[in-house]
Amino acid sequence: MTSPVKDPDGRSSRWDDHREERRGELVLAAVTAIEQFGPDAGIARVAEAAGVSKPVLYRYFDHKQELHDRVITWAAEQVVDRIAPALAEPGAIRRRIGNAVDAYLGLLTEHPNVFRLVLRHRGTDGALMPPGSHRISATFARFIGDGMRALGLDAGGAEPWAHGLVGFGLSTGEWWLTRETMSRAAVGTYLTDFIWHGFAGIAAEHGIDLEELATRATAATVTELRRNDS
């Protein structure tokens, strides 16, 4: 049997790394084009933003949908990068929830058209949630589960609650960007109150007053929260 071809100098690995790095650069160009021209921005607009021709773009992405999927995954990663440190920072739980909500709303403010693209892909391929949303729900589930266990409470609801929060956030974000009838601060307050009272109510049923609790997070906790790929 023929032995597999070896790559003693690592050229193949270096090429793969370079290709992935280049794909990342093109995803950022797509983000720029989508924000400027809207979620309908075509491949020509993306190629223009990247400073390349359409054939060059197609060397890295087989079709437009693949590029869109990468943009949506990028958006999910941005959400995790914003909310994980906010949730894990030291301080009262209610304030941490508020900071995480504000970080999410800030991302929508910065990239409204990317978020609109995300919403367009909700429900594709029979899935209720858009690609990449599992990254966010896994982060929520880990935070909720760890918090409930630390309080000596049943953490069995962490995963369904986390998925519910992602859907809640998407729906509210869609309403906010579409209607534009409320300030970011007001939306953030209402979202924070809703989430906080849900968990405070669960804790209260077990005789725990979350208003009196403050937790401390370490850098390791932030790292753990961001390990959301199963």
Side-chain angles (χ1 to χ4, degrees):
M1 185 173 64
T2 304
S3 300
V5 177
K6 296 183 179 180
D7 182 24
D9 60 3
R11 281 177 294 179
S12 176
S13 176
R14 288 197 299 272
W15 168 248
D16 290 342
D17 291 343
H18 170 75
R19 179 177 176 81
E20 190 58 30
E21 181 180 353
R22 186 61 175 139
R23 280 165 63 90
E25 293 171 352
L26 295 173
V27 168
L28 292 180
V31 169
T32 297
I34 290 167
E35 283 308 325
Q36 183 175 359
F37 299 105
D40 290 322
I43 290 295
R45 294 290 193 185
V46 176
E48 180 182 357
V52 301
S53 65
K54 289 172 62 177
V56 168
L57 196 62
Y58 280 121
R59 291 178 194 170
Y60 294 90
F61 301 96
D62 292 336
H63 43 71
K64 184 178 179 180
Q65 184 59 55
E66 182 184 2
L67 178 58
H68 278 179
D69 286 346
R70 284 294 298 264
V71 170
I72 293 169
T73 298
W74 173 88
E77 291 169 349
Q78 294 301 302
V79 172
V80 172
D81 286 346
R82 299 287 182 95
I83 65 174
L87 290 174
E89 67 185 0
I93 298 173
R94 185 169 192 164
R95 181 174 61 81
R96 291 156 57 193
I97 293 174
N99 289 344
V101 167
D102 186 65
Y104 169 66
L105 295 177
L107 189 61
L108 299 194
T109 301
E110 294 172 28
H111 300 286
N113 283 329
V114 168
F115 183 76
R116 292 184 177 101
L117 178 71
V118 171
L119 289 169
R120 288 190 177 189
H121 286 72
R122 182 179 52 188
T124 58
D125 299 327
L128 180 62
M129 305 299 287
S133 60
H134 71 281
R135 296 171 179 264
I136 307 170
S137 60
T139 300
F140 282 150
R142 188 163 287 111
F143 169 73
I144 295 169
D146 288 349
M148 300 298 279
R149 283 186 289 272
L151 295 173
L153 302 178
D154 176 20
E159 191 168 355
W161 289 333
H163 281 274
L165 284 174
V166 172
F168 179 49
L170 281 171
S171 178
T172 304
E174 181 179 26
W175 163 81
W176 184 46
L177 289 180
T178 301
R179 296 290 299 278
E180 298 181 342
T181 56
M182 191 175 293
S183 69
R184 171 177 165 181
V187 175
T189 296
Y190 287 128
L191 282 175
T192 299
D193 287 349
F194 188 90
I195 297 169
W196 162 256
H197 285 293
F199 291 110
I202 293 170
E205 288 185 350
H206 296 272
I208 298 172
D209 185 353
L210 292 186
E211 288 280 12
E212 298 178 356
L213 295 179
T215 58
R216 297 186 177 274
T218 63
T221 305
V222 175
T223 300
E224 181 63 24
L225 279 169
R226 293 177 62 182
R227 289 176 188 161
N228 46 66
D229 287 328
S230 56

